[in-house]
Amino acid sequence: METINLETTRDEAFLREVEAESGQRVTTCYQCGNCTAGCPCGPEYDMQVSQVMRAVQLGNKRLALSCRSLWLCVSCSTCTSRCPNNIDVAKVMDVLRHMAWKEGKTNYAMASFWQSFLTTVRHFGRTYELGIMAMFMARTGRIFTDVDLVPRILPKNKLPLKPHQIVGKEQVGRIFKRFDEQRRNAQDGGHNS
Amino acid sequence: MKLAYYPGCSGQGTSAEYERSSRAVCAALGILLEEIPDWSCCGSTPAHACDHVLSAALSARNLSLAAAKGADRVGTPCPSCLANLKTARHRMEDPTFRGKVNALLDAPCPDTLPDTVSILQVLVEDFGVDAIAEKVKKPLAGLKIACYYGCLMSRPADVMNFDDPENPMALDRIMEALGAEVVPFSMKTECCGAAMGIPRRDISARLSARLLETARNFGADAVVVACPLCHMNLDLRQDQASKASKSAFNMPILYFTQFMGIALGLASEDLGLGKLCVSPTGLLQKMQNAKAAADAKAATDAKATTDAKKAEAKAKAAKAEEGQA
Protein backbone atom coordinates (compact mmCIF):
# COMPACT_ATOMS: atom_id res chain seq x y z
CA MET A 1 0.00 0.00 0.00
CA GLU A 2 1.18 3.47 -0.90
CA THR A 3 2.14 5.82 1.91
CA ILE A 4 0.60 9.26 1.53
CA ASN A 5 2.34 12.25 3.05
CA LEU A 6 -0.50 14.52 4.12
CA GLU A 7 1.88 17.44 4.60
CA THR A 8 3.03 17.52 1.00
CA THR A 9 0.16 16.07 -1.02
CA ARG A 10 -2.76 18.13 0.27
CA ASP A 11 -4.11 20.48 -2.38
CA GLU A 12 -6.95 22.49 -0.84
CA ALA A 13 -7.67 24.26 -4.12
CA PHE A 14 -8.35 20.93 -5.81
CA LEU A 15 -10.88 19.92 -3.14
CA ARG A 16 -12.58 23.29 -3.44
CA GLU A 17 -12.67 23.06 -7.22
CA VAL A 18 -14.28 19.60 -7.17
CA GLU A 19 -16.87 20.78 -4.66
CA ALA A 20 -17.64 23.92 -6.68
CA GLU A 21 -17.84 22.16 -10.03
CA SER A 22 -20.04 19.35 -8.73
CA GLY A 23 -22.05 21.39 -6.24
CA GLN A 24 -21.49 18.51 -3.80
CA ARG A 25 -20.04 18.64 -0.30
CA VAL A 26 -17.57 15.82 -0.60
CA THR A 27 -16.22 16.74 2.86
CA THR A 28 -19.40 15.33 4.43
CA CYS A 29 -18.49 11.81 3.30
CA TYR A 30 -17.81 9.71 6.41
CA GLN A 31 -16.54 6.66 4.53
CA CYS A 32 -19.44 4.30 5.24
CA GLY A 33 -18.72 2.46 1.98
CA ASN A 34 -22.32 2.23 0.77
CA CYS A 35 -21.30 3.57 -2.65
CA THR A 36 -18.56 0.98 -2.97
CA ALA A 37 -20.83 -1.86 -1.84
CA GLY A 38 -23.35 -1.13 -4.58
CA CYS A 39 -20.96 -0.27 -7.41
CA PRO A 40 -21.35 -2.73 -10.31
CA CYS A 41 -17.85 -1.99 -11.62
CA GLY A 42 -16.08 -2.09 -8.24
CA PRO A 43 -14.41 -5.42 -9.05
CA GLU A 44 -12.62 -3.78 -12.00
CA TYR A 45 -11.59 -0.59 -10.15
CA ASP A 46 -8.05 0.14 -8.97
CA MET A 47 -9.50 2.50 -6.35
CA GLN A 48 -12.98 1.94 -4.93
CA VAL A 49 -15.40 4.83 -5.26
CA SER A 50 -15.33 5.57 -1.50
CA GLN A 51 -11.52 5.72 -1.74
CA VAL A 52 -11.84 8.18 -4.63
CA MET A 53 -14.06 10.34 -2.39
CA ARG A 54 -11.40 10.08 0.34
CA ALA A 55 -8.68 11.14 -2.09
CA VAL A 56 -10.75 14.23 -2.94
CA GLN A 57 -11.23 15.01 0.75
CA LEU A 58 -7.47 14.75 1.25
CA GLY A 59 -6.93 17.10 -1.68
CA ASN A 60 -4.89 14.40 -3.37
CA LYS A 61 -5.25 15.47 -6.95
CA ARG A 62 -2.77 12.98 -8.37
CA LEU A 63 -4.52 9.96 -6.87
CA ALA A 64 -8.02 11.16 -7.70
CA LEU A 65 -7.32 12.09 -11.31
CA SER A 66 -5.06 9.24 -12.30
CA CYS A 67 -7.14 6.32 -11.08
CA ARG A 68 -8.47 3.93 -13.70
CA SER A 69 -11.85 3.78 -11.94
CA LEU A 70 -12.89 7.12 -13.44
CA TRP A 71 -12.95 5.46 -16.86
CA LEU A 72 -14.73 2.32 -15.75
CA CYS A 73 -17.62 4.02 -13.94
CA VAL A 74 -20.82 3.42 -15.95
CA SER A 75 -22.69 6.41 -14.45
CA CYS A 76 -25.47 4.19 -13.10
CA SER A 77 -25.92 6.46 -10.03
CA THR A 78 -26.36 3.56 -7.60
CA CYS A 79 -23.77 5.29 -5.38
CA THR A 80 -25.77 8.53 -5.52
CA SER A 81 -29.03 6.90 -4.55
CA ARG A 82 -27.45 5.10 -1.56
CA CYS A 83 -25.32 7.89 -0.06
CA PRO A 84 -26.59 8.64 3.46
CA ASN A 85 -25.14 12.16 3.18
CA ASN A 86 -26.93 12.88 -0.09
CA ILE A 87 -23.74 13.35 -2.05
CA ASP A 88 -24.35 12.92 -5.78
CA VAL A 89 -21.31 10.64 -5.97
CA ALA A 90 -21.82 9.90 -9.68
CA LYS A 91 -21.71 13.63 -10.39
CA VAL A 92 -18.44 13.91 -8.48
CA MET A 93 -17.04 11.05 -10.58
CA ASP A 94 -18.22 12.90 -13.71
CA VAL A 95 -16.46 16.10 -12.58
CA LEU A 96 -13.23 14.22 -11.83
CA ARG A 97 -13.42 12.71 -15.31
CA HIS A 98 -13.83 16.18 -16.81
CA MET A 99 -10.76 17.40 -14.92
CA ALA A 100 -8.70 14.37 -15.88
CA TRP A 101 -9.83 14.74 -19.51
CA LYS A 102 -8.72 18.39 -19.53
CA GLU A 103 -5.34 17.36 -18.16
CA GLY A 104 -4.98 14.75 -20.87
CA LYS A 105 -5.19 11.85 -18.41
CA THR A 106 -7.70 9.70 -20.28
CA ASN A 107 -8.17 6.00 -20.60
CA TYR A 108 -7.50 5.30 -24.22
CA ALA A 109 -10.23 2.75 -25.02
CA MET A 110 -12.95 4.58 -23.11
CA ALA A 111 -12.11 8.06 -24.37
CA SER A 112 -11.75 6.71 -27.92
CA PHE A 113 -15.24 5.31 -27.74
CA TRP A 114 -16.70 8.53 -26.34
CA GLN A 115 -14.85 10.67 -28.86
CA SER A 116 -15.99 8.48 -31.76
CA PHE A 117 -19.55 8.84 -30.52
CA LEU A 118 -19.36 12.62 -30.20
CA THR A 119 -17.65 13.00 -33.58
CA THR A 120 -20.64 11.42 -35.33
CA VAL A 121 -23.02 13.77 -33.45
CA ARG A 122 -20.86 16.75 -34.38
CA HIS A 123 -20.98 15.89 -38.08
CA PHE A 124 -24.46 14.54 -38.58
CA GLY A 125 -26.48 15.96 -35.66
CA ARG A 126 -27.33 12.43 -34.58
CA THR A 127 -25.29 9.39 -33.70
CA TYR A 128 -24.29 7.03 -36.45
CA GLU A 129 -23.78 3.60 -34.96
CA LEU A 130 -21.72 2.02 -37.76
CA GLY A 131 -19.58 5.15 -37.95
CA ILE A 132 -18.87 4.97 -34.21
CA MET A 133 -17.72 1.36 -34.56
CA ALA A 134 -15.54 2.11 -37.57
CA MET A 135 -13.92 5.09 -35.88
CA PHE A 136 -13.41 3.20 -32.63
CA MET A 137 -11.70 0.35 -34.50
CA ALA A 138 -9.51 2.80 -36.42
CA ARG A 139 -8.50 4.72 -33.28
CA THR A 140 -7.75 1.72 -31.13
CA GLY A 141 -6.63 -0.80 -33.75
CA ARG A 142 -9.17 -3.23 -32.29
CA ILE A 143 -10.46 -4.20 -35.69
CA PHE A 144 -12.24 -7.31 -34.46
CA THR A 145 -14.47 -5.47 -31.97
CA ASP A 146 -17.87 -7.19 -31.94
CA VAL A 147 -17.35 -9.12 -35.19
CA ASP A 148 -19.25 -11.95 -33.48
CA LEU A 149 -22.32 -9.71 -33.47
CA VAL A 150 -22.30 -9.08 -37.22
CA PRO A 151 -24.14 -12.28 -38.27
CA ARG A 152 -26.55 -11.70 -35.39
CA ILE A 153 -27.58 -8.16 -36.18
CA LEU A 154 -27.32 -7.93 -39.98
CA PRO A 155 -30.37 -10.13 -40.74
CA LYS A 156 -32.43 -7.97 -38.37
CA ASN A 157 -32.20 -5.06 -40.78
CA LYS A 158 -31.80 -2.55 -38.00
CA LEU A 159 -28.50 -0.81 -38.64
CA PRO A 160 -28.77 1.99 -41.19
CA LEU A 161 -25.73 1.90 -43.47
CA LYS A 162 -25.86 5.64 -44.03
CA PRO A 163 -26.01 8.26 -41.25
CA HIS A 164 -29.22 10.18 -40.54
CA GLN A 165 -28.42 13.78 -41.31
CA ILE A 166 -30.58 16.49 -39.86
CA VAL A 167 -31.27 19.91 -41.36
CA GLY A 168 -29.76 21.67 -38.35
CA LYS A 169 -26.57 19.60 -38.25
CA GLU A 170 -24.50 22.77 -38.60
CA GLN A 171 -26.18 24.20 -35.49
CA VAL A 172 -25.07 21.12 -33.60
CA GLY A 173 -21.61 21.37 -35.14
CA ARG A 174 -21.36 24.95 -33.92
CA ILE A 175 -22.14 23.85 -30.32
CA PHE A 176 -19.04 21.65 -30.48
CA LYS A 177 -16.99 24.32 -32.23
CA ARG A 178 -17.75 26.94 -29.56
CA PHE A 179 -17.03 24.37 -26.87
CA ASP A 180 -13.61 23.62 -28.39
CA GLU A 181 -12.83 27.32 -28.71
CA GLN A 182 -13.75 27.99 -25.09
CA ARG A 183 -11.60 25.13 -23.95
CA ARG A 184 -8.65 26.25 -26.05
CA ASN A 185 -8.98 29.82 -24.75
CA ALA A 186 -9.19 28.61 -21.16
CA GLN A 187 -6.09 26.50 -21.64
CA ASP A 188 -4.17 29.35 -23.27
CA GLY A 189 -5.26 31.61 -20.43
CA GLY A 190 -4.15 28.98 -17.97
CA HIS A 191 -0.69 28.75 -19.54
CA ASN A 192 -0.25 32.52 -19.67
CA SER A 193 -1.14 33.16 -16.07
CA MET B 1 -53.35 13.46 -24.56
CA LYS B 2 -50.59 15.21 -26.51
CA LEU B 3 -46.82 15.03 -26.08
CA ALA B 4 -43.83 16.45 -27.92
CA TYR B 5 -41.93 13.32 -28.90
CA TYR B 6 -38.17 12.78 -28.76
CA PRO B 7 -37.43 9.37 -30.31
CA GLY B 8 -33.67 9.30 -29.61
CA CYS B 9 -30.94 8.08 -31.96
CA SER B 10 -30.94 4.40 -31.08
CA GLY B 11 -34.61 4.24 -32.09
CA GLN B 12 -33.43 4.91 -35.66
CA GLY B 13 -31.09 1.92 -35.48
CA THR B 14 -30.43 -0.75 -32.88
CA SER B 15 -33.67 -0.19 -30.97
CA ALA B 16 -35.95 0.22 -34.00
CA GLU B 17 -38.42 -2.24 -32.45
CA TYR B 18 -38.74 -0.09 -29.31
CA GLU B 19 -39.44 2.98 -31.41
CA ARG B 20 -41.96 1.18 -33.58
CA SER B 21 -43.81 -0.48 -30.71
CA SER B 22 -43.86 2.71 -28.60
CA ARG B 23 -45.54 4.56 -31.44
CA ALA B 24 -47.98 1.71 -32.08
CA VAL B 25 -49.00 1.41 -28.43
CA CYS B 26 -49.42 5.17 -27.98
CA ALA B 27 -51.51 5.35 -31.16
CA ALA B 28 -53.70 2.48 -29.94
CA LEU B 29 -54.27 4.23 -26.61
CA GLY B 30 -54.98 7.62 -28.15
CA ILE B 31 -51.76 9.27 -26.95
CA LEU B 32 -50.72 11.73 -29.63
CA LEU B 33 -46.95 11.96 -30.20
CA GLU B 34 -45.73 15.01 -32.08
CA GLU B 35 -42.13 14.42 -33.10
CA ILE B 36 -39.86 17.39 -32.35
CA PRO B 37 -38.95 18.71 -35.80
CA ASP B 38 -35.30 18.15 -36.72
CA TRP B 39 -34.34 16.89 -33.26
CA SER B 40 -30.66 16.15 -32.61
CA CYS B 41 -28.73 13.77 -30.34
CA CYS B 42 -28.79 14.49 -26.58
CA GLY B 43 -25.11 13.53 -26.34
CA SER B 44 -25.89 10.54 -24.12
CA THR B 45 -23.16 9.38 -21.68
CA PRO B 46 -20.18 10.48 -23.82
CA ALA B 47 -21.27 14.13 -23.63
CA HIS B 48 -21.86 14.26 -19.88
CA ALA B 49 -18.67 12.31 -19.27
CA CYS B 50 -16.84 14.98 -21.26
CA ASP B 51 -18.52 18.14 -19.93
CA HIS B 52 -21.82 19.07 -18.27
CA VAL B 53 -22.30 22.32 -20.17
CA LEU B 54 -21.71 20.65 -23.53
CA SER B 55 -24.16 17.91 -22.55
CA ALA B 56 -26.81 20.42 -21.47
CA ALA B 57 -26.37 22.46 -24.67
CA LEU B 58 -26.98 19.39 -26.83
CA SER B 59 -30.18 18.71 -24.85
CA ALA B 60 -31.19 22.38 -24.75
CA ARG B 61 -31.32 22.63 -28.55
CA ASN B 62 -34.07 19.98 -28.50
CA LEU B 63 -35.94 21.45 -25.54
CA SER B 64 -35.93 24.85 -27.29
CA LEU B 65 -37.34 23.29 -30.46
CA ALA B 66 -40.10 21.66 -28.41
CA ALA B 67 -40.81 24.94 -26.58
CA ALA B 68 -41.08 26.74 -29.92
CA LYS B 69 -43.83 24.28 -30.82
CA GLY B 70 -45.65 25.23 -27.63
CA ALA B 71 -45.01 21.91 -25.90
CA ASP B 72 -45.10 21.80 -22.12
CA ARG B 73 -43.88 18.20 -21.94
CA VAL B 74 -41.52 16.05 -23.97
CA GLY B 75 -41.92 12.28 -23.97
CA THR B 76 -39.14 9.85 -24.83
CA PRO B 77 -38.88 6.06 -24.68
CA CYS B 78 -35.12 6.10 -23.92
CA PRO B 79 -33.93 6.46 -20.29
CA SER B 80 -30.57 7.88 -21.35
CA CYS B 81 -32.21 10.63 -23.43
CA LEU B 82 -34.65 11.13 -20.55
CA ALA B 83 -31.84 11.56 -18.02
CA ASN B 84 -29.97 14.04 -20.22
CA LEU B 85 -32.98 16.16 -21.19
CA LYS B 86 -34.29 16.22 -17.63
CA THR B 87 -30.91 16.90 -16.05
CA ALA B 88 -30.20 19.72 -18.52
CA ARG B 89 -33.42 21.50 -17.58
CA HIS B 90 -32.74 20.89 -13.88
CA ARG B 91 -29.19 22.29 -14.05
CA MET B 92 -30.30 25.26 -16.14
CA GLU B 93 -32.40 26.48 -13.23
CA ASP B 94 -29.05 27.85 -12.04
CA PRO B 95 -28.58 31.16 -13.93
CA THR B 96 -24.78 30.84 -14.13
CA PHE B 97 -25.02 27.38 -15.64
CA ARG B 98 -27.77 28.53 -18.00
CA GLY B 99 -25.55 31.38 -19.16
CA LYS B 100 -22.76 28.94 -20.01
CA VAL B 101 -25.18 26.75 -21.96
CA ASN B 102 -26.58 29.71 -23.86
CA ALA B 103 -23.04 30.73 -24.81
CA LEU B 104 -22.71 27.46 -26.76
CA LEU B 105 -26.02 27.82 -28.60
CA ASP B 106 -26.85 29.87 -31.71
CA ALA B 107 -29.63 31.60 -29.77
CA PRO B 108 -30.34 31.57 -26.02
CA CYS B 109 -33.00 29.16 -24.74
CA PRO B 110 -36.48 30.43 -23.93
CA ASP B 111 -36.99 31.13 -20.22
CA THR B 112 -39.34 28.22 -19.73
CA LEU B 113 -38.29 24.86 -21.06
CA PRO B 114 -40.58 21.84 -21.16
CA ASP B 115 -40.12 19.00 -18.69
CA THR B 116 -39.30 15.54 -20.03
CA VAL B 117 -41.08 12.31 -19.10
CA SER B 118 -40.57 8.72 -20.14
CA ILE B 119 -43.25 7.01 -22.19
CA LEU B 120 -43.35 4.47 -19.34
CA GLN B 121 -44.23 7.23 -16.87
CA VAL B 122 -46.92 8.62 -19.17
CA LEU B 123 -48.50 5.19 -19.52
CA VAL B 124 -48.43 4.41 -15.81
CA GLU B 125 -49.23 7.81 -14.32
CA ASP B 126 -51.29 9.62 -16.95
CA PHE B 127 -53.02 6.85 -18.86
CA GLY B 128 -53.18 4.57 -15.84
CA VAL B 129 -52.68 0.88 -15.19
CA ASP B 130 -56.41 0.16 -14.78
CA ALA B 131 -57.17 1.82 -18.10
CA ILE B 132 -54.46 -0.33 -19.71
CA ALA B 133 -56.03 -3.46 -18.19
CA GLU B 134 -59.38 -2.53 -19.74
CA LYS B 135 -57.79 -2.43 -23.21
CA VAL B 136 -56.29 -5.92 -23.02
CA LYS B 137 -57.58 -8.25 -25.73
CA LYS B 138 -55.07 -11.08 -25.47
CA PRO B 139 -53.93 -11.46 -21.87
CA LEU B 140 -50.33 -12.59 -21.34
CA ALA B 141 -51.67 -15.48 -19.25
CA GLY B 142 -49.21 -18.28 -18.65
CA LEU B 143 -46.13 -16.06 -19.01
CA LYS B 144 -43.67 -15.52 -16.19
CA ILE B 145 -41.86 -12.24 -16.62
CA ALA B 146 -38.91 -10.63 -14.81
CA CYS B 147 -39.09 -6.82 -14.83
CA TYR B 148 -35.73 -5.17 -15.39
CA TYR B 149 -35.62 -1.38 -15.07
CA GLY B 150 -31.92 -0.63 -15.40
CA CYS B 151 -30.23 2.24 -13.67
CA LEU B 152 -31.46 5.49 -15.14
CA MET B 153 -35.26 5.45 -15.17
CA SER B 154 -35.62 6.70 -11.61
CA ARG B 155 -32.10 7.78 -10.64
CA PRO B 156 -31.04 10.20 -9.29
CA ALA B 157 -34.37 10.32 -7.47
CA ASP B 158 -34.53 14.09 -6.90
CA VAL B 159 -34.13 14.81 -10.63
CA MET B 160 -36.03 11.92 -12.17
CA ASN B 161 -38.97 12.12 -9.80
CA PHE B 162 -40.45 8.82 -10.86
CA ASP B 163 -41.13 5.56 -9.08
CA ASP B 164 -38.84 4.10 -6.40
CA PRO B 165 -35.10 4.29 -7.15
CA GLU B 166 -34.40 0.96 -5.44
CA ASN B 167 -37.61 -0.98 -5.98
CA PRO B 168 -39.49 0.47 -8.95
CA MET B 169 -42.90 -1.06 -9.68
CA ALA B 170 -44.11 0.61 -12.91
CA LEU B 171 -43.23 -2.32 -15.19
CA ASP B 172 -44.46 -4.87 -12.62
CA ARG B 173 -47.83 -3.16 -12.52
CA ILE B 174 -48.14 -2.95 -16.31
CA MET B 175 -47.17 -6.60 -16.80
CA GLU B 176 -49.72 -7.68 -14.19
CA ALA B 177 -52.36 -5.53 -15.87
CA LEU B 178 -51.56 -7.38 -19.10
CA GLY B 179 -52.26 -10.69 -17.35
CA ALA B 180 -48.69 -11.94 -16.95
CA GLU B 181 -47.23 -13.43 -13.80
CA VAL B 182 -44.43 -11.19 -12.53
CA VAL B 183 -41.66 -13.20 -10.88
CA PRO B 184 -39.72 -11.73 -7.98
CA PHE B 185 -36.51 -10.18 -9.30
CA SER B 186 -33.79 -8.90 -7.03
CA MET B 187 -31.80 -7.20 -9.81
CA LYS B 188 -34.38 -4.65 -10.95
CA THR B 189 -32.02 -1.68 -10.96
CA GLU B 190 -28.60 -3.36 -11.13
CA CYS B 191 -26.50 -2.16 -14.06
CA CYS B 192 -26.22 -4.23 -17.26
CA GLY B 193 -22.86 -2.73 -18.20
CA ALA B 194 -24.28 0.14 -20.25
CA ALA B 195 -22.02 1.19 -23.11
CA MET B 196 -19.09 -0.92 -21.83
CA GLY B 197 -19.95 -3.50 -24.48
CA ILE B 198 -17.64 -1.87 -26.99
CA PRO B 199 -14.59 -0.76 -24.97
CA ARG B 200 -14.77 -3.42 -22.22
CA ARG B 201 -17.08 -6.25 -23.22
CA ASP B 202 -15.78 -8.43 -20.35
CA ILE B 203 -17.53 -6.05 -17.94
CA SER B 204 -20.87 -5.87 -19.76
CA ALA B 205 -20.82 -9.65 -20.28
CA ARG B 206 -20.23 -10.29 -16.57
CA LEU B 207 -22.95 -7.87 -15.45
CA SER B 208 -25.50 -9.01 -18.03
CA ALA B 209 -24.86 -12.67 -17.21
CA ARG B 210 -25.66 -11.91 -13.57
CA LEU B 211 -29.02 -10.47 -14.59
CA LEU B 212 -29.91 -13.29 -16.98
CA GLU B 213 -28.91 -15.93 -14.44
CA THR B 214 -31.02 -14.37 -11.71
CA ALA B 215 -34.03 -14.04 -14.02
CA ARG B 216 -33.65 -17.69 -15.03
CA ASN B 217 -33.31 -18.83 -11.41
CA PHE B 218 -36.54 -17.04 -10.55
CA GLY B 219 -38.27 -19.03 -13.29
CA ALA B 220 -38.76 -16.19 -15.78
CA ASP B 221 -39.79 -17.07 -19.35
CA ALA B 222 -38.71 -13.62 -20.49
CA VAL B 223 -37.24 -10.35 -19.26
CA VAL B 224 -39.01 -7.08 -19.97
CA VAL B 225 -36.96 -3.90 -20.38
CA ALA B 226 -37.51 -0.19 -21.02
CA CYS B 227 -34.03 0.83 -22.22
CA PRO B 228 -32.26 0.39 -25.59
CA LEU B 229 -28.88 -0.14 -23.97
CA CYS B 230 -30.18 -2.73 -21.50
CA HIS B 231 -31.83 -4.43 -24.45
CA MET B 232 -28.66 -4.45 -26.49
CA ASN B 233 -26.64 -5.98 -23.67
CA LEU B 234 -29.22 -8.62 -22.80
CA ASP B 235 -30.49 -9.52 -26.29
CA LEU B 236 -27.86 -8.72 -28.95
CA ARG B 237 -24.99 -9.55 -26.59
CA GLN B 238 -26.67 -12.52 -24.89
CA ASP B 239 -24.20 -15.02 -26.39
CA GLN B 240 -21.31 -12.98 -24.98
CA ALA B 241 -22.95 -13.23 -21.55
CA SER B 242 -23.42 -16.97 -22.07
CA LYS B 243 -19.74 -17.42 -22.87
CA ALA B 244 -18.61 -15.28 -19.94
CA SER B 245 -20.65 -17.30 -17.46
CA LYS B 246 -20.31 -20.69 -19.20
CA SER B 247 -24.06 -21.10 -19.38
CA ALA B 248 -26.28 -21.19 -22.43
CA PHE B 249 -28.92 -18.52 -22.05
CA ASN B 250 -31.92 -18.49 -24.31
CA MET B 251 -33.94 -15.77 -22.66
CA PRO B 252 -36.24 -13.62 -24.82
CA ILE B 253 -35.83 -9.93 -23.95
CA LEU B 254 -38.78 -7.74 -24.95
CA TYR B 255 -39.47 -4.06 -24.62
CA PHE B 256 -42.50 -3.38 -22.41
CA THR B 257 -44.18 -1.71 -25.38
CA GLN B 258 -43.86 -4.97 -27.33
CA PHE B 259 -45.57 -6.91 -24.54
CA MET B 260 -48.25 -4.22 -24.37
CA GLY B 261 -48.76 -4.40 -28.12
CA ILE B 262 -49.15 -8.19 -28.00
CA ALA B 263 -51.73 -7.92 -25.22
CA LEU B 264 -53.58 -5.08 -26.98
CA GLY B 265 -53.82 -7.32 -30.05
CA LEU B 266 -51.68 -5.09 -32.31
CA ALA B 267 -50.14 -6.48 -35.51
CA SER B 268 -46.81 -8.21 -35.00
CA GLU B 269 -45.08 -6.10 -37.69
CA ASP B 270 -46.03 -2.93 -35.78
CA LEU B 271 -44.17 -4.31 -32.78
CA GLY B 272 -40.93 -5.29 -34.52
CA LEU B 273 -40.91 -8.76 -32.94
CA GLY B 274 -38.87 -10.02 -35.89
CA LYS B 275 -36.03 -7.68 -34.92
CA LEU B 276 -35.30 -9.45 -31.64
CA CYS B 277 -32.13 -11.57 -31.67
CA VAL B 278 -33.47 -14.10 -29.17
CA SER B 279 -36.64 -15.33 -30.79
CA PRO B 280 -39.89 -14.82 -28.86
CA THR B 281 -41.59 -17.67 -30.78
CA GLY B 282 -41.47 -20.10 -27.85
CA LEU B 283 -42.87 -17.41 -25.63
CA LEU B 284 -45.79 -16.69 -27.93
CA GLN B 285 -46.38 -20.44 -28.26
CA LYS B 286 -46.51 -20.73 -24.49
CA MET B 287 -49.11 -17.98 -24.42
CA GLN B 288 -51.16 -19.75 -27.08
CA ASN B 289 -50.91 -23.07 -25.23
CA ALA B 290 -52.03 -21.42 -22.01
CA LYS B 291 -54.97 -19.89 -23.85
CA ALA B 292 -55.88 -23.20 -25.50
CA ALA B 293 -55.69 -24.94 -22.13
CA ALA B 294 -57.82 -22.23 -20.53
CA ASP B 295 -60.34 -22.42 -23.40
CA ALA B 296 -60.48 -26.22 -23.13
CA LYS B 297 -60.98 -25.97 -19.39
CA ALA B 298 -63.67 -23.36 -19.85
CA ALA B 299 -65.39 -25.61 -22.40
CA THR B 300 -65.18 -28.62 -20.06
CA ASP B 301 -66.45 -26.52 -17.18
CA ALA B 302 -69.28 -25.15 -19.30
CA LYS B 303 -70.18 -28.66 -20.44
CA ALA B 304 -70.06 -29.89 -16.86
CA THR B 305 -72.35 -27.04 -15.81
CA THR B 306 -74.82 -27.79 -18.63
CA ASP B 307 -74.74 -31.51 -17.83
CA ALA B 308 -75.32 -30.80 -14.17
CA LYS B 309 -78.19 -28.49 -15.03
CA LYS B 310 -79.70 -31.12 -17.32
CA ALA B 311 -79.39 -33.78 -14.66
CA GLU B 312 -80.97 -31.46 -12.14
CA ALA B 313 -83.87 -30.69 -14.47
CA LYS B 314 -84.31 -34.40 -15.14
CA ALA B 315 -84.33 -35.15 -11.43
CA LYS B 316 -86.84 -32.39 -10.84
CA ALA B 317 -89.10 -33.70 -13.58
CA ALA B 318 -88.88 -37.20 -12.16
CA LYS B 319 -89.72 -35.90 -8.72
CA ALA B 320 -92.69 -33.96 -10.09
CA GLU B 321 -93.89 -37.08 -11.89
CA GLU B 322 -93.51 -39.07 -8.69
CA GLY B 323 -95.55 -36.43 -6.83
CA GLN B 324 -98.29 -36.62 -9.46
CA ALA B 325 -98.39 -40.35 -9.22
Side-chain angles (χ1 to χ4, degrees), chain B residues 14 24 65 224 251-252 280 287-288 310 324:
Chain B
T14 42
L65 288 172
V224 63
M251 179 71 77
M287 224 177 104
Q288 266 169 12
K310 268 187 199 160
Q324 269 177 3

Side-chain angles (χ1 to χ4, degrees), chain B residues 191-194 203-214 229-230 232-234 237-238 241 249:
Chain B
C191 184
C192 65
I203 297 180
S204 65
R206 173 176 68 80
L207 294 175
S208 299
R210 217 165 54 133
L211 297 170
L212 292 165
E213 210 152 29
T214 311
L229 210 44
C230 299
M232 189 191 278
N233 283 333
L234 295 179
R237 295 183 183 277
Q238 195 168 113
F249 296 115

